[in-house]
Amino acid sequence: MDSLKELYQEIILEHNKHPRNAHKMECPTCSAEGVNPLCGDEVIVFVKLDGDTITDVSFLGQGCAISQASASLMTLAIKGKTIEEAQKQTSIVFELLTNDILSPSELDKLGDLVALSGVRQFPARIKCATLAWHSLESALRKVLV
Ligand code: ZN
């Protein structure tokens, strides 16, 4: 179990150090900003859509390692997905962060996102991990109305 914890921590630290898709997007289809005042985390998520497919996603942010790693992992997880698939992925991540009910096959499908489950032991940090995902949801909501 300790080695698993270390692996999760390594994934988080690596993504914080080398965040993927961490840049401003020119002409995004939609974007949304999220702030977690409890920790001082800020994230802006940019989404480019072709029909209902997310062809590109990026973010700009600052804050703790968990918030930035979660944003980086989010961009990798949802790029190429449809809006519906991205929303489903978001709710699975919220479940991952708040409870332990995901089946082994569901956990398997999460790939590196599973590293975020380490945050469950630190309830005060859950908002850091959900920030980018909430911002993604608000960005997508703008095109759905
Ligand atoms: Zn934070």
Side-chain angles (χ1 to χ4, degrees), residues 36 39-41 63-67 125 127-129:
N36 172 20
C39 184
D41 309 319
C64 70
I66 294 170
S67 67
R125 311 302 298 279
K127 283 204 162 74
C128 304

Side-chain angles (χ1 to χ4, degrees), residues 25 27-32 45-49 53-58 78 135-136 139-140:
M25 190 187 293
C27 316
T29 311
C30 53
S31 65
V45 172
F46 304 94
V47 178
K48 188 155 281 179
L49 290 165
T53 301
I54 297 166
T55 54
D56 200 9
V57 53
S58 69
I78 66 138
S135 307
L136 169 70
L140 292 176

Side-chain angles (χ1 to χ4, degrees), residues 21-97:
N21 305 301
H23 55 82
K24 190 172 186 281
M25 190 187 293
E26 297 304 324
C27 316
T29 311
C30 53
S31 65
E33 191 175 358
V35 180
N36 172 20
L38 291 175
C39 184
D41 309 319
E42 293 174 15
V43 165
I44 309 174
V45 172
F46 304 94
V47 178
K48 188 155 281 179
L49 290 165
D50 181 6
D52 68 348
T53 301
I54 297 166
T55 54
D56 200 9
V57 53
S58 69
F59 78 100
L60 271 184
Q62 53 181 22
C64 70
I66 294 170
S67 67
Q68 303 307 302
S70 181
S72 173
L73 286 161
M74 181 276 288
T75 63
L76 293 180
I78 66 138
K79 198 168 176 173
K81 284 193 157 64
T82 63
I83 293 177
E84 204 188 324
E85 287 165 345
Q87 285 169 328
K88 202 170 169 212
Q89 181 77 81
T90 303
S91 34
I92 291 175
V93 168
F94 288 165
E95 273 178 40
L96 176 76
L97 288 168

